Amino acid sequence: MKEMSDKMKERVKKWLESLDEEERCQAELLDAYFTFRTNLPGDDPGFGKAVEEPKTTEEIMDDLQPMMPMSKNVVAGYMRTHDYGFTTVADGSVRWAVWRFVDVTALT
């Protein structure tokens, strides 16, 4: 998996310091959610094949709702500080550009 650059580490650190305790808990949950997801396409020998999985902020919030309520601002802040970009899907709507690692050996 891609290692965070020093510039990104500093940006994430400053962002985390700006959050209150509840928001930092949400950021920790987002870290867990994105363990097997990445902001760039490409396979990883340790994690598998990266398949495109564009998500809206609301979809990410819905995925995590069973664990804890998420703030839109925390999700969007996380995505921006971790260099997630945007993609336009077939219907013309915009989503976060997310790729999820899939173990293709389990699919065969």
Side-chain angles (χ1 to χ4, degrees):
M1 222 177 199
K2 177 180 94 152
E3 200 54 41
M4 247 196 254
S5 70
D6 289 341
K7 185 177 179 180
M8 183 191 289
K9 285 178 187 176
E10 185 60 31
R11 186 173 61 239
V12 169
K13 180 182 175 208
K14 285 181 181 177
W15 176 70
L16 286 170
E17 289 171 352
S18 74
L19 302 178
D20 63 29
E21 186 176 341
E22 182 179 328
E23 292 168 331
R24 279 192 296 277
C25 287
Q26 292 175 43
E28 287 177 19
L29 181 56
L30 286 162
D31 280 340
Y33 181 77
F34 283 98
T35 297
F36 294 104
R37 292 175 171 87
T38 184
N39 60 350
L40 295 172
D43 301 344
D44 184 285
F47 290 94
K49 178 172 181 53
V51 295
E52 195 172 16
E53 185 184 62
K55 296 265 187 174
T56 65
T57 302
E58 290 285 334
E59 287 170 334
I60 295 167
M61 292 170 64
D62 289 347
D63 288 348
L64 296 172
Q65 180 60 38
M67 294 296 294
M68 77 172 62
M70 300 296 293
S71 157
K72 266 189 185 182
N73 288 336
V74 171
V75 174
Y78 184 95
M79 301 303 282
R80 297 294 301 175
T81 58
H82 288 78
D83 285 344
Y84 282 86
F86 307 108
T87 188
T88 304
V89 295
D91 68 2
S93 62
V94 177
R95 292 190 170 28
W96 293 105
V98 177
W99 284 264
R100 183 173 52 91
F101 291 113
V102 176
D103 180 1
V104 291
T105 61
L107 301 176
T108 58

